[in-house]
Amino acid sequence: MKLAVVGTGYVGLVTGTCFAETGNQVTCVDIDERKVEKLNNGIMPIYEPGLDVLFHRNVEQGRLSFTTNLEEGIKGAEVIFLALPTPPGEDGSADLKYILKVASDLGPIMNQYAVIVDKSTVPVGTAEKVHAHIADNAKVDFDVVSNPEFLREGVAVEDFMKPDRVVIGTKSERAKGVMNRLYAPLVRQGNPIIFMDERSAEMTKYAANAFLATKITFMNEIANLCERAGANVDDIRRGIGTDSRIGKRFLFAGIGYGGSCFPKDVQALAKTAKDFNYDFKVLQSVMDVNYAQKTKLVPMILDHFGGDLAGKTIAVWGLAFKPYTDDIREAPALDNIKAMLDAGAKVTVYDPEAMDNVRVLLGNSVTYAHTQYAALDDADALVIITEWPLFRTPDFDKMNLLMKSKTIFDGRNVYELDQMRELNYTYISVGREAVLAPVEQKA
């Protein structure tokens, strides 16, 4: 099939590349000339494991191309995906200006029937607005479909190629046929294509992300209670995660969620509820708890150093909001670094992928280390923000030689408490007993 994808952000690039991998002819459209030039020269603008292999293969074999010309990009396309930004406004609502602008542009340049697909995460009723904007100047038949994405950064290629389910919102039988044919290669193992109306599909994406954010937040609340009650949140996670009604995923306590989806989508769903005069109390609690959770280690760090970080060097491992991505949108690392800098600390950071993005935001206010160990040189403490696998089994002997003090504040519960006791570390984690290094007695 001939496809067009408008927008080459995270969702658009993954969508276009993966559909090209299943044999479709895909043209991706973006107004950013520099970005399109880089893509045409084989330069990937994002880090996502496995995507670069598919990207280069499909570009080389002529199934994937890029342009800034919308009319050229959609020529002959049976399906046109809108994968455009929907940034949150001050009131939490999703800003649809980019989607509706493209919708208005599409009307006069379409010359054959096409299915227009809202791939972006959008509020209830967006498909109707997109339809109206296209219809203002359209000369041909078309359908507008809601097809939300459920991609997890870090495993997005696998999620796209082997989806748990495909949700498609449309009342058009013609559009159903087109979308069924498009997704057939991806659901051969029996995972369902679920058809519903457009509004229900739009709500499904928000409901999924809000539920997962709530699950994470609940476990963080349990972790905070564990610290007061003397319980271990990891044991509780294992105890409830084996219940099939609850499941094992999204039960890890830590310093809150970030990224481009959960914060924005929880906020947008709360705004939708407000628009329909419904008081969605749980969502407000989720947002409040997560905001506080992001910097819950900071008071502990300050307390450990007597309330003053002036003259202290703090090493930070992990800047991306989660492992296997360079995405720092709403990343807890940014909040923690700001708080430590404000308290007078010198901060040295390391992340395998996200340092260039942080440098754009923070400039020279922090020191950027070339390895995880270089970040520890002369450090008074280590703060772990993102649970990259390479942080799980470090060389503690090397760490001991580099650090001034064997002190770790762990926002992701990377290490076992017994291990830290054996190594004589002061180790503060989330929802677990604090491990305090033995005080050396003076002779």
Side-chain angles (χ1 to χ4, degrees):
M1 297 175 70
K2 177 81 167 62
L3 312 178
V5 178
V6 185
T8 60
Y10 187 87
V11 172
L13 194 54
V14 172
T15 298
T17 302
C18 289
F19 273 132
E21 180 68 10
T22 59
N24 297 291
Q25 192 73 29
V26 181
T27 303
C28 295
V29 184
D30 201 292
I31 61 171
D32 187 334
E33 293 182 3
R34 290 184 62 191
K35 189 175 187 181
V36 169
E37 183 180 358
K38 286 182 178 180
L39 287 164
N40 279 323
N41 288 326
I43 301 172
M44 290 281 289
I46 62 171
Y47 172 75
E48 177 62 36
L51 185 61
D52 56 339
V53 176
L54 303 188
F55 171 83
H56 290 298
R57 176 161 62 224
N58 285 282
V59 168
E60 289 167 6
Q61 296 180 3
R63 289 190 297 270
L64 181 62
S65 60
F66 302 89
T67 182
T68 57
N69 188 310
L70 182 63
E71 186 169 6
E72 174 188 313
I74 69 162
K75 188 176 181 180
E78 296 177 67
V79 183
I80 302 169
F81 286 91
L82 305 184
L84 295 152
T86 54
E90 290 185 8
D91 61 354
S93 60
D95 189 343
L96 298 178
K97 65 183 177 185
Y98 301 110
I99 290 176
L100 297 181
K101 170 66 167 62
V102 171
S104 296
D105 292 342
L106 283 174
I109 62 175
M110 291 169 56
N111 56 19
Q112 66 178 53
Y113 172 82
V115 177
I116 316 300
V117 180
D118 283 336
K119 198 66 178 168
S120 308
T121 301
V122 293
V124 173
T126 299
E128 296 158 25
K129 293 179 181 178
V130 170
H131 192 283
H133 276 69
I134 297 173
D136 280 344
N137 295 293
K139 307 178 186 67
V140 295
D141 290 336
F142 66 94
D143 284 304
V144 176
V145 165
S146 175
N147 173 215
E149 51 84 16
F150 299 98
L151 304 177
R152 296 168 295 161
E153 292 192 42
V155 287
V157 171
E158 182 178 355
D159 283 348
F160 198 99
M161 302 301 284
K162 299 177 182 178
D164 291 332
R165 80 291 200 196
V166 176
V167 172
I168 297 174
T170 182
K171 302 183 191 75
S172 165
E173 292 300 321
R174 187 176 183 182
K176 282 183 184 179
V178 172
M179 297 302 287
N180 243 330
R181 185 157 50 95
L182 177 61
Y183 274 105
L186 304 180
V187 294
R188 294 183 65 196
Q189 294 180 328
N191 291 339
I193 297 178
I194 304 170
F195 287 101
M196 58 186 72
D197 65 87
E198 296 88 341
R199 287 191 165 223
S200 296
E202 291 163 344
M203 183 72 85
T204 295
K205 174 59 186 289
Y206 282 122
N209 278 356
F211 181 81
L212 295 175
T214 301
K215 197 173 180 182
I216 293 169
T217 303
F218 177 82
M219 285 307 294
N220 286 335
E221 287 273 69
I222 290 293
N224 295 340
L225 180 57
C226 283
E227 291 172 7
R228 299 192 180 196
N232 186 315
V233 73
D234 283 344
D235 291 337
I236 295 164
R237 168 178 57 79
R238 288 187 285 267
I240 68 174
T242 47
D243 187 327
S244 60
R245 297 169 300 175
I246 296 173
K248 300 176 183 178
R249 296 169 67 180
F250 292 90
L251 293 181
F252 287 86
I255 50 173
Y257 58 78
S260 62
C261 293
F262 285 4
K264 174 173 69 72
D265 293 353
V266 172
Q267 196 177 24
L269 184 56
K271 176 61 168 59
T272 296
K274 185 177 180 181
D275 290 343
F276 286 93
N277 297 313
Y278 182 74
D279 185 10
F280 208 142
K281 297 181 178 66
V282 170
L283 292 187
Q284 188 58 53
S285 295
V286 168
M287 291 185 285
D288 292 344
V289 170
N290 192 65
Y291 178 79
Q293 194 75 12
K294 282 186 172 185
T295 54
K296 74 160 279 144
L297 290 179
V298 173
M300 300 177 186
I301 297 169
L302 285 166
D303 182 66
H304 177 79
F305 289 107
D308 185 11
L309 296 186
K312 302 298 181 184
T313 297
I314 308 297
V316 172
W317 279 2
L319 300 171
F321 86 93
K322 64 181 287 189
Y324 300 109
T325 181
D326 61 354
D327 195 342
I328 60 169
R329 286 174 287 184
E330 300 286 340
L334 301 177
D335 300 277
N336 283 272
I337 289 169
K338 181 180 185 302
M340 290 187 288
L341 290 173
D342 289 345
K346 174 187 175 184
V347 179
T348 304
V349 303
Y350 175 75
D351 186 282
E353 294 294 339
M355 288 205 291
D356 287 345
N357 290 338
V358 169
R359 199 187 305 269
V360 171
L361 286 181
L362 300 185
N364 296 322
S365 63
V366 301
T367 301
Y368 303 90
H370 63 282
T371 69
Q372 69 192 90
Y373 297 109
L376 301 179
D377 191 21
D378 220 23
D380 294 282
L382 166 64
V383 181
I384 300 175
I385 303 290
T386 312
E387 64 278 27
W388 283 92
L390 80 163
F391 300 152
R392 293 190 177 277
T393 54
D395 184 337
F396 283 103
D397 290 336
K398 182 182 276 191
M399 293 173 65
N400 297 343
L401 293 172
L402 291 166
M403 296 177 70
K404 278 185 187 176
S405 170
K406 294 164 67 173
T407 303
I408 298 176
F409 296 89
D410 186 353
R412 300 300 176 187
N413 292 0
V414 172
Y415 306 125
E416 295 297 329
L417 301 182
D418 288 343
Q419 179 188 26
M420 293 293 99
R421 290 190 187 97
E422 290 175 9
L423 293 169
N424 291 328
Y425 267 77
T426 291
Y427 179 68
I428 311 297
S429 53
V430 179
R432 306 188 295 180
E433 175 189 356
V435 175
L436 302 178
V439 178
E440 293 185 8
Q441 299 294 326
K442 292 184 179 179

